Amino acid sequence: MTIFGFLQMLVDLIEANPTLALLIVFLVSAGEALFVVGLFVPSTVVLVAAGTMVGMGKLSFVPIFLAATFGAVVGDAVSFWFGHIWKERVRQVWPFSRYTLLLDKGETFFQRHGGKSVFIGRFIPGVKSVIPGIAGMMGMGMARFTVINVVSAFAWAGAHIIPAVALGRGFDLAHSANPRLAALLVGVLVVLVLAWYLTRLTLAFTLPRLDKARLWIADHLKTKDSSIAGLAARVLLNEEGAFVAFCLAILCLFGLAGFALLVVNLMFEPELAASDQTISTFLQALRNGPGDRVMVLVTMLADSVTLTPPAVAFVAIMLALRRWRLAAMATVTFIGAAIFVPLAKSLLQRPRPMPHYSGAEAFSFPSGHATLSIAIIGGIVVILAHALPTRWKSVVYATTAALLALIALSRVYLLAHWPSDVIAGLLFGGSMVLLLAFLLHGRELGLPAGKVAVAVGLVYAGTCAIHIDRRFGDTLASYSRPLPVDTISADDWTGGGWRSIPRARVLFDGEFAEPLILQTDMPLPALKTALEKAGWREHAANLFSSTLSHTLPAVGSIADLPPLQSYNGGRPALATFTLDDTSRPGTRLVLNIWPTFTTIAGTGTNAPLVTASVTREALEPLPFGYGKTKIAPLEPDAEAKAARSVADALATTGGRMTQPGPSLFLIASGA
C-alpha cells in the first residue's frame, strides 16, 4: 500500500468513527497534563491532526474543541490532586524519583511566577507536565487553581486546534487543485510532526538506554579478533570522531543514490518531465522586472568566470602554504565537478527550457551552476570552517547553504534549467563536498583560515564585481526572452493538430485532472461576451482574496463566493466563469479558460489558442450557518452536456464548430 493509500484509509477510518476521534483527543489532552507522564504523550501531534481534519471537513469543530479542553482540565486536576496529597514524598516514588531535576525546575518556575505559572506553564514543553502537580505540592488554593486551569485549557485547545483548522482548509484547497500534491503535503506534515515527537521522546527516554546498549555492543565487539569488529567498535564509541565520519559517508552515498534515482526517473518516468514543465511555467507567471534583475545578479555569482578565479586562488594559496594534500583534495573536487557536468549533459542530452547556450552547455541535466557552486563554494567553506567552534560553524554553513539555494532557485526562475536539473546538481555537488568533509574529518589542518578566507573572498568579490559590471545588461537581456510559442495554421489545427494540446488539465506533479472540453482561437473579449450571453458569470478574484475567502468559513450561497483557484500546467486561468447547476440545487459549474503555448495563423495576425475545462463546486455546510466550497463530482453525461452548451454559445458568434471527441469541441473563429 502506498503512503497515499494509507493516509486515505486512516482519514476514512476516523471520518467513519468520529466518536473514536473524540475519545483519542480527550485521552491525549488529559494524558499530556498528567504528572511527569505527560512528557511522553504526543498531544500536539494528535491535536494538530484533529484540527487539520476539521479544516478538511472530516470532523466537527465544537466536539473536538470541547474534548481537548475537557481533557486538559481533567489531566491538570488529577496532577494537582496528586501533588496536593503526596507533597514532597513524590520525590521518593518511582518513576518520579528519576525526574528530580525536572521537579526542581518546575518549583523554581512556580516560585517565580506564582499562580500565573499554571496558565503560562501549559504552553511550555517539559515544565507543563509538572506545574499542576507542583501547584498542589506547594499549597495553591483549589478554587484559584480551578479557575486558571479552565481558562488556560480553553486557550491551550484553541492555540492548537484553530491554526490547524486553517491548515486543514489549506490542504483542502490544495486537494481541489491537485489531489496527489495535497496528499504528499499531508504526508510530509505527518512525517515532520512524528519526527519532532520521536526526537523529543528520544532525547528524554530512548537515548540514555541506547547509549548503554552502544557501549555494551562496543565492548563486546572489542573482544572479537576481527578487524571489521574493531572498526565497528571504533564507530560505536566515536573514537576520533569515527561515528561522525560514518554519518558523512552515509550521507554522501545517499546523495549519489538520489542523483541516480533522478536519472532513472528522467529516462523512464514521463511524469518527471511534466512536473518540471508545470513548476517552471508557474514560476514564469511570477516573474517581474525587479525580480529578474535580482535573480540575474544571483545567477551571475555562479557563472564559470566568477567561480574559477577563487578556486584557482584557493589552490594556489594551499600550494604556497605547502599544504599539498589539501591542494590535491580541492583540485580533485573542483575539476571532478567541472568534468562531470559536461560529460553527464552530453550523455543524457536533455534540452534546456530555453536555448541559452551551445555545444554541451545547450543540454540541461544536471545544472552546472548548481553543481559547481556547491562543489567550489561549499568545498572552500568546508575546509576553511573546519576548525571553527560548532556554533560559528553552523552559522557559516547555514549562510552558505542559503546562498547556494538562492543560486539554484535563480536557475529555475530564469528558465535556464528544469527543477530536477538543479536538484540533481545539488545532490552530486553536495556528495562531493560530503566526501571532502569525510576525508578531512578528525584532521588538524592548522590553516590560517581567517587570512585565507579574506584573500579568497577578495578575489571572488572582485571577480564578481568586474563580471557583473561588464555583462549584467547582456545577461539580463538573454534571460528576458519570451516563452517559445508554436504557430500552426487553422486547417492543420482542425485537421489533427489539436491532438498536440494536452487533453486534460496538468497538475503540478505531472498527473492529469479534469478533461479539457474546448479549444478555440476566438479572442478572449468575444469569448467572454458569448459566455455571458449564455448565462455564465465571470469572476475576477485574485489569488490572495480567493484563498482567504475559501480558508475562512463563509456565510451565504455558493453564488456569492469566488471559485476555487486552480492551475493548468502551472499557469492560472485567463478567465473563470460560473453557472448555477439546475440539475443539482446548491451547486454550480465552473468554467476555466486556460492559455496555451500555441497560436493559430490567420489572415491578419496570429490568434492565441485557448482551452477550457469545467468542474462542479458545492457548498459544504459547517456549524452556525457557515459553509465552505468544495469540488463535487461531475458525471460524464453532465460534463458532455456542459461542453455542448459552451460550444453552442460560442458557435452563435459565427465560429466554425467541430467535435473530434465526445466532450471535446473545436471552435475556429475564421479570422
Side-chain angles (χ1 to χ4, degrees):
M1 178 181 292
T2 65
I3 181 64
F4 304 108
F6 174 76
L7 290 173
Q8 188 60 52
M9 181 184 71
L10 189 60
V11 169
D12 292 341
L13 175 64
I14 295 176
E15 186 179 14
N17 300 274
T19 304
L20 176 62
L22 292 176
L23 179 61
I24 293 173
V25 168
F26 170 79
L27 291 177
V28 297
S29 298
E32 192 185 39
L34 293 179
F35 197 59
V36 176
V37 176
L39 285 171
F40 311 105
V41 179
S43 69
T44 300
V45 177
V46 175
L47 292 183
V48 169
T52 302
M53 294 192 67
V54 170
M56 296 174 67
K58 307 300 181 182
L59 296 173
S60 298
F61 173 78
V62 174
I64 291 293
F65 180 79
L66 292 179
T69 303
F70 187 54
V73 170
V74 170
D76 268 17
V78 171
S79 297
F80 175 82
W81 279 106
F82 182 82
H84 179 74
I85 294 172
W86 284 81
K87 302 293 185 183
E88 288 296 326
R89 288 177 296 164
V90 73
R91 294 178 178 274
Q92 284 76 48
V93 178
W94 185 91
F96 312 114
S97 58
R98 304 191 61 179
Y99 296 93
T100 54
L101 290 178
L102 181 61
L103 296 179
D104 293 340
K105 184 178 179 181
E107 285 188 4
T108 302
F109 188 84
F110 186 86
Q111 290 171 352
R112 180 183 305 170
H113 298 285
K116 297 190 299 295
S117 62
V118 177
F119 189 99
I120 300 171
R122 193 185 285 279
F123 297 88
I124 301 177
V127 176
K128 64 184 297 183
S129 64
V130 297
I131 285 296
I134 295 294
M137 292 169 59
M138 301 188 72
M140 184 177 181
M142 183 182 68
R144 185 184 180 196
F145 172 82
T146 301
V147 171
I148 299 176
N149 179 20
V150 173
V151 173
S152 64
F154 273 97
W156 176 82
H160 282 77
I161 295 176
I162 293 175
V165 171
L167 179 65
R169 186 59 183 141
F171 281 137
D172 203 28
L173 293 176
H175 186 273
S176 299
N178 194 333
R180 285 172 58 87
L181 180 62
L184 178 61
L185 291 176
V186 172
V188 170
L189 176 66
V190 170
V191 170
L192 290 176
V193 173
L194 287 178
W196 168 82
Y197 173 69
L198 290 176
T199 301
R200 173 183 162 188
L201 184 63
T202 298
L203 292 175
F205 181 78
T206 310
L207 275 185
R209 288 157 178 78
L210 287 179
D211 198 49
K212 291 182 181 179
R214 174 180 65 86
L215 295 175
W216 182 86
I217 294 173
D219 290 338
H220 180 70
L221 290 173
K222 280 185 175 181
T223 62
K224 302 292 183 181
D225 187 16
S226 168
S227 58
I228 296 178
L231 178 62
R234 284 188 59 205
V235 170
L236 287 173
L237 293 173
N238 197 28
E239 293 180 359
E240 300 179 357
F243 182 73
V244 176
F246 174 76
C247 292
L248 289 172
I250 292 298
L251 288 174
C252 177
L253 293 176
F254 272 126
L256 293 175
F259 177 84
L261 184 62
L262 272 179
V263 172
V264 172
N265 275 269
L266 177 65
M267 297 174 64
F268 300 107
E269 292 292 338
E271 288 83 2
L272 177 62
S275 179
D276 277 341
Q277 176 72 61
T278 300
I279 295 172
S280 295
T281 304
F282 174 75
L283 285 178
Q284 297 316 294
L286 303 178
R287 288 184 64 165
N288 54 77
D292 285 0
R293 298 179 70 85
V294 171
M295 285 301 179
V296 167
L297 184 67
V298 170
T299 209
M300 292 181 74
L301 299 179
D303 285 349
S304 58
V305 296
T306 55
L307 289 177
T308 302
V312 172
F314 181 80
V315 174
I317 293 173
M318 293 300 103
L319 293 174
L321 294 174
R322 299 180 180 275
R323 303 303 172 91
W324 317 116
R325 183 172 295 178
L326 286 179
M329 287 180 178
T331 301
V332 170
T333 301
F334 302 160
I335 295 180
I339 293 175
F340 175 80
V341 170
L343 179 62
K345 287 183 176 182
S346 299
L347 290 175
L348 295 171
Q349 296 189 0
R350 186 187 196 187
R352 286 180 183 265
M354 292 284 285
H356 290 288
Y357 305 93
S358 59
E361 287 300 308
F363 301 122
S364 186
F365 189 96
S367 165
H369 277 65
T371 307
L372 293 174
S373 64
I374 195 172
I376 294 176
I377 298 176
I380 293 175
V381 168
V382 163
I383 294 175
L384 294 182
H386 182 73
L388 285 176
T390 302
R391 182 180 63 179
W392 290 108
K393 187 183 294 186
S394 301
V395 173
V396 171
Y397 285 169
T399 304
T400 304
L403 173 62
L404 296 174
L406 196 57
I407 291 172
L409 175 63
S410 73
R411 304 306 289 164
V412 183
Y413 176 90
L414 295 172
L415 212 61
H417 282 285
W418 303 110
S420 59
D421 303 337
V422 170
I423 296 174
L426 293 176
L427 286 173
F428 184 82
S431 297
M432 298 193 70
V433 173
L434 287 168
L435 178 60
L436 178 62
F438 170 78
L439 297 174
L440 293 175
H441 185 70
R443 299 179 181 273
E444 291 291 337
L445 302 185
L447 281 175
K451 295 179 179 179
V452 176
V454 170
V456 175
L458 288 175
V459 171
Y460 182 53
T463 304
C464 289
I466 295 172
H467 179 54
I468 291 171
D469 180 64
R470 291 181 176 178
R471 299 289 303 167
F472 182 77
D474 293 339
T475 305
L476 179 62
S478 69
Y479 286 118
S480 299
R481 302 172 186 173
L483 295 174
V485 176
D486 295 329
T487 301
I488 60 176
S489 68
D491 291 338
D492 289 341
W493 166 48
T494 56
W498 57 269
R499 293 188 178 90
S500 63
I501 308 300
R503 297 292 304 277
R505 181 167 68 91
V506 182
L507 303 174
F508 280 96
D509 58 3
E511 295 291 333
F512 295 102
E514 73 274 6
L516 300 177
I517 63 169
L518 174 71
Q519 293 183 21
T520 180
D521 64 341
M522 183 178 296
L524 190 59
L527 191 61
K528 291 181 178 181
T529 301
L531 289 172
E532 288 171 350
K533 288 182 178 179
W536 291 86
R537 173 191 174 194
E538 183 179 8
H539 290 263
N542 58 37
L543 176 61
F544 176 78
S545 62
S546 176
T547 303
L548 184 64
S549 65
H550 292 299
T551 301
L552 301 176
V555 178
S557 68
I558 192 171
D560 301 324
L561 295 174
L564 294 169
Q565 192 82 15
S566 58
Y567 293 82
N568 179 23
R571 306 178 79 181
L574 293 172
T576 301
F577 297 84
T578 62
L579 179 69
D580 290 340
D581 190 354
T582 56
S583 63
R584 286 196 177 184
T587 68
R588 66 182 177 188
L589 299 176
V590 178
L591 181 72
N592 283 301
I593 310 297
W594 307 107
T596 69
F597 293 105
T598 302
T599 60
I600 306 301
T603 55
T605 59
N606 296 338
L609 181 69
V610 299
T611 60
S613 65
V614 63
T615 56
R616 177 186 282 144
E617 292 180 355
L619 193 64
E620 180 179 341
L622 296 175
F624 309 114
Y626 288 92
K628 66 172 184 175
T629 308
K630 62 177 292 185
I631 294 292
L634 184 63
E635 300 79 7
D637 58 338
E639 177 186 275
K641 182 179 178 181
R644 167 62 68 175
S645 67
V646 170
D648 290 342
L650 301 185
T652 60
T653 62
R656 187 176 77 254
M657 181 174 68
T658 56
Q659 185 178 359
S663 298
L664 176 64
F665 293 86
L666 311 180
I667 308 293
S669 65

